[in-house]
């Protein structure tokens, strides 16, 4: 998840922060009026949240019961700072601090289909708008019938969607989870049989993060009738996730902390190989792991279930590889499995929601962010209406702001010497361009983006705004723009990103 503030703050909800346990946000946890939400218990979302009783609030952390259990038992956050809400349960938030009146916001968690306890967060505003923060999610059609989402989508009430864009590149279109799980379980069953008596000295290694991929563990254990080895810390986590509604969350019943009691072991992601910048298997680490056990294994098969399995031609070509490590044959298999949405699933979800705006929560930089925004179908009519409404409102306030203690009004545009220009004069055209550019700057577009869009639309400001908010500009990143040097310092450079910058 990106550290940008746009990923952690819900529009029109001051004092409400999502997965914002990092940087300057940590200072905000000291304010009792601030409210924090943790969408799920993964490291890139709980960030720098203090451990081992060191979190002193007093800001409360709202989450699902499963995430609450992990916060209390594993993270050791004092219980008085953790507030749990079940899926489908609506709770109230008061942006202005009052407990009465029209400012009350309703918040509901629904299952994100990501890891045990993960939630998408639906925020219903008093004016009827609905915002959605997906945290991390794997889209499933069940989300179309979540009551509040279904109602808001059908009435075109969904305003802003803060979207998990981990796999927002069109190249990411991996197989359904069920197919990946079946592939791993079937291959394991073929090697181990249906009980340990059938074992032919083969060790199965399953790569996992702290929580997540329990569906894989459950299916492999069920088909082979063997327990799954996990270390003590992982066992404590498995006990915490039993509150989650899926059967695979009861995997603790099929786990053991005795490494010699089973041929199926959970290992940390990274032990069997690195995925970045391309897949690099680590055969020797797998062989050394096997040698440390009592059973004299002659074959090790390590599975790495990940969405990055299809991330490059190299990964696809080398998804299965083998190496003989001095008497132990090591086979490492990349499996296209993810608990994040594929690109096609993201498109389907956004098309169902038809929001006014999509805010990516995973991106490299501003240019990447606006490129991602342009891949999704938004309600362009509402988007244009919102931007023009903003422009009208802000334009009406030009010159009305007063500096503290100042007696005269502040002119946002520095006065320039009067110029004797004819209507067709290039300077006259430049002057008009500057005024349109200034108006678009008030709408939140970067100077370069606005400048480029105005050039492409031949000075038509409405068309320029439409191009930017729909991501349909055709200018290349370094297109030529009107040279405004010497007229106003609004323009920052001549490099034109295709869409607005908002950071």
């Amino acid at each position: 998840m990106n550290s940008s503030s746009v990923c952690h703050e819900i529009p029109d909800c001051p004092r409400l922060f999502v997965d914002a346990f990092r940087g300057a946000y940590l200072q905000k946890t000291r304010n009792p009026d601030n409210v924090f939400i943790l969408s799920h218990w993964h490291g890139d979302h709980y960030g720098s949240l203090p451990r081992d009783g060191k979190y002193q609030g007093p800001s409360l952390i709202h989450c699902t019961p499963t995430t609450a259990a992990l916060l209390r038992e594993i993270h050791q956050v004092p219980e008085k700072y953790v507030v749990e809400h079940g899926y489908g349960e609506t709770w109230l938030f008061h942006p202005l601090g009052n407990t009465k009146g029209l400012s009350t916001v309703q918040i509901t968690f629904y299952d994100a289909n990501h890891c045990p306890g993960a939630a998408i967060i639906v925020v219903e505003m008093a004016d009827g708008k609905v915002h959605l923060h997906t945290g991390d999610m794997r889209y499933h059609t069940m989300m179309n019938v979540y009551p509040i989402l279904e109602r808001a989508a059908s009435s075109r009430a969904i305003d802003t969607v803060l979207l998990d864009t981990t796999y927002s590149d069109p190249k990411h279109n991996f197989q359904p989870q069920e197919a990946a799980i079946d592939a791993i379980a079937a291959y394991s069953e073929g090697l181990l049989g249906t009980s340990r008596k059938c074992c032919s000295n083969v060790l199965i290694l399953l790569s996992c993060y702290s929580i997540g991929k329990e569906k894989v563990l459950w299916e492999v254990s069920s088909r082979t009738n063997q327990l799954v080895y996990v270390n003590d810390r992982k066992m404590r986590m498995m006990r915490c996730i039993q509150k989650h509604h899926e059967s695979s969350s009861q995997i603790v019943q099929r786990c053991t902390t005795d490494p010699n009691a089973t041929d199926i072991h959970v290992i940390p992601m990274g032990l069997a190989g690195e995925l970045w910048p391309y897949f690099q298997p680590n055969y020797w680490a797998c062989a050394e792991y096997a040698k440390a056990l009592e059973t004299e294994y002659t074959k090790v098969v390590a599975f790495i279930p990940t969405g990055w399995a299809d991330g490059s031609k190299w990964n696809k070509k080398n998804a299965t590889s083998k190496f003989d490590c001095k008497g132990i044959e090591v086979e490492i298999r990349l499996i296209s499995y993810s608990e994040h949405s594929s690109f096609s699933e993201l498109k389907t979800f956004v098309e169902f929601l038809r929001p006014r705006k999509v805010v990516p929560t995973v991106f490299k930089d501003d240019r990447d962010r606006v490129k991602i925004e342009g891949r999704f179908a938004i309600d362009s009519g509402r988007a244009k209406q919102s931007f023009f409404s903003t422009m009208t409102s802000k334009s009406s306030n030009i010159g009305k702001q007063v500096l503290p203690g100042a007696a005269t009004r502040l002119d946002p545009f520095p006065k320039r010497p009067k110029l004797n220009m004819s209507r067709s004069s290039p300077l006259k055209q430049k002057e008009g361009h500057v005024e349109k550019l200034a108006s678009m700057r008030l709408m939140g577009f970067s100077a370069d983006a606005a400048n480029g869009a105005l050039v492409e639309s031949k000075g038509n400001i409405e068309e320029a705004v439409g191009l930017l908010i729909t991501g349909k500009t055709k200018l290349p990143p370094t297109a030529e723009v009107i040279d405004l040097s010497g007229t106003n310092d609004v323009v920052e450079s001549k490099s034109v990103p295709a869409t607005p910058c908002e950071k």
Side-chain angles (χ1 to χ4, degrees):
M1 190 174 190
N2 195 277
S3 60
S4 172
S5 62
V6 299
C7 303
H8 301 285
E9 300 179 16
I10 304 295
D12 308 315
C13 288
R15 303 189 305 102
L16 179 66
F17 307 103
V18 178
D19 297 340
F21 302 98
R22 62 179 79 194
Y25 284 111
L26 287 174
Q27 299 296 321
K28 296 181 184 293
T29 63
R30 299 178 182 178
N31 184 338
D33 292 328
N34 291 338
V35 172
F36 283 73
I37 292 175
L38 180 59
S39 65
H40 64 290
W41 196 74
H42 273 169
D44 57 329
H45 291 258
Y46 62 66
S48 300
L49 178 65
R51 294 175 174 271
D52 304 323
K54 294 178 183 178
Y55 181 75
Q56 299 180 355
S59 292
L60 299 179
I61 302 172
H62 295 254
C63 56
T64 64
T66 298
T67 301
L70 289 160
L71 282 177
R72 291 190 297 261
E73 301 300 322
I74 309 300
H75 218 94
Q76 296 289 296
V77 173
E79 186 169 2
K80 64 181 179 179
Y81 298 126
V82 180
V83 184
E84 58 184 68
H85 308 278
Y87 291 136
E89 174 189 330
T90 297
W91 52 283
L92 302 181
F93 167 69
H94 309 283
L96 302 180
N98 65 326
T99 56
K100 298 180 180 179
L102 297 177
S103 65
T104 300
V105 170
Q106 298 185 81
I107 300 176
T108 307
F109 295 155
Y110 287 118
D111 187 0
N113 191 35
H114 176 64
C115 69
I120 62 172
I121 302 149
V122 182
V123 181
E124 299 176 271
M125 307 298 294
D127 63 3
K129 290 180 182 177
V130 176
H131 302 304
L132 172 65
H133 196 303
T134 67
D136 281 352
M137 58 160 266
R138 177 78 190 257
Y139 171 69
H140 190 281
T141 52
M142 67 180 178
M143 296 176 181
N144 295 7
V145 293
Y146 288 159
I148 299 173
L149 277 189
E150 183 179 28
R151 184 169 63 249
S154 63
S155 62
R156 289 291 185 263
I158 297 179
D159 186 79
T160 303
V161 175
L162 292 90
L163 186 67
D164 170 19
T165 47
T166 301
Y167 295 113
S168 60
D169 191 298
K171 69 181 180 182
H172 296 300
N173 200 20
F174 31 78
Q175 63 184 327
Q177 277 188 350
E178 295 77 11
I181 293 169
D182 179 70
I184 296 172
Y187 196 77
S188 299
E189 182 182 359
L191 291 170
L192 300 181
T194 56
S195 71
R196 203 177 188 203
K197 295 177 183 177
C198 303
C199 178
S200 57
N201 296 328
V202 177
L203 175 65
I204 300 293
L205 301 179
L206 302 173
S207 303
C208 296
Y209 293 112
S210 54
I211 60 170
K213 300 183 174 63
E214 288 78 19
K215 296 173 187 176
V216 174
L217 308 186
W218 180 270
E219 193 64 21
V220 172
S221 174
S222 298
R223 293 202 195 181
T224 60
N225 287 307
Q226 288 204 41
L227 298 176
V228 177
Y229 166 74
V230 296
N231 61 28
D232 290 340
R233 188 168 187 271
K234 180 80 171 179
M235 181 67 86
R236 289 171 56 208
M237 295 177 191
M238 297 301 97
R239 293 193 180 103
C240 290
I241 68 171
Q242 291 182 88
K243 291 187 176 184
H244 195 61
H245 61 88
E246 292 180 310
S247 59
S248 59
S249 295
Q250 307 304 313
I251 187 62
V252 67
Q253 301 170 14
R254 294 178 174 272
C255 289
T256 176
T257 54
D258 180 358
N260 298 301
T262 177
D263 301 314
I264 305 169
H265 287 219
V266 169
I267 59 172
M269 289 293 285
L271 189 148
E274 296 294 330
L275 294 170
W276 184 258
Y278 57 88
F279 178 49
Q280 303 162 73
N282 193 337
Y283 305 106
W284 288 102
C286 296
E288 291 301 319
Y289 183 97
K291 288 178 182 178
L293 302 172
E294 290 180 359
T295 302
E296 294 184 4
Y297 291 106
T298 57
K299 183 178 179 69
V300 176
V301 178
F303 292 96
I304 306 178
T306 174
W308 298 110
D310 292 340
S312 67
K313 292 181 179 179
W314 170 271
N315 287 1
K316 291 178 182 179
K317 183 179 178 181
N318 296 278
T320 300
S321 56
K322 299 179 181 180
F323 190 78
D324 190 334
C325 297
K326 294 184 177 180
I328 298 180
E329 180 188 337
V330 177
E331 178 180 335
I332 300 179
R333 303 176 72 90
L334 272 182
I335 301 294
S336 179
Y337 170 94
S338 182
E339 289 168 340
H340 295 269
S341 305
S342 67
F343 175 67
S344 61
E345 289 168 341
L346 289 175
K347 287 199 69 175
T348 299
F349 190 41
V350 174
E351 286 169 2
F352 162 71
L353 297 173
R354 281 289 176 175
R356 178 187 64 84
K357 183 176 179 62
V358 169
V359 176
T361 59
V362 181
F363 53 89
K364 293 180 292 187
D365 51 35
D366 280 342
R367 183 170 296 233
D368 186 44
R369 177 179 59 77
V370 295
K371 183 188 296 184
I372 293 171
E373 287 177 0
R375 292 173 182 157
F376 298 102
I378 60 172
D379 189 335
S380 58
R382 281 193 294 147
K384 289 180 182 179
Q385 182 181 16
S386 175
F387 271 113
F388 283 120
S389 175
T390 301
M391 180 177 70
T392 302
S393 174
K394 290 186 176 181
S395 296
S396 66
N397 291 321
I398 292 177
K400 295 181 180 179
Q401 298 178 357
V402 179
L403 288 173
T408 59
R409 76 177 188 179
L410 174 64
D411 187 348
F413 304 112
K415 292 184 178 179
R416 296 178 292 277
K418 291 185 178 180
L419 300 173
N420 183 17
M421 297 181 291
S422 67
R423 171 170 252 169
S424 60
S425 164
L427 286 177
K428 184 68 176 179
Q429 294 174 4
K430 187 180 294 185
E431 186 80 1
H433 188 90
V434 169
E435 299 306 322
K436 293 174 183 176
L437 179 60
S439 294
M440 294 180 70
R441 291 288 282 131
L442 286 173
M443 295 168 64
F445 294 110
S446 72
D448 282 347
N451 196 9
L454 281 170
V455 171
E456 187 172 338
S457 66
K458 298 181 180 179
N460 185 320
I461 187 170
E462 291 191 11
E463 183 179 336
V465 171
L467 288 171
L468 289 174
I469 63 177
T470 57
K472 294 181 179 179
T473 52
K474 298 178 181 179
L475 284 175
T478 56
E480 290 297 319
V481 300
I482 291 179
D483 183 4
L484 299 171
S485 58
T487 58
N488 197 309
D489 60 357
V490 174
V491 176
E492 295 154 359
S493 73
K494 292 188 180 181
S495 176
V496 183
T499 41
C501 176
E502 175 184 311
K503 188 173 183 180

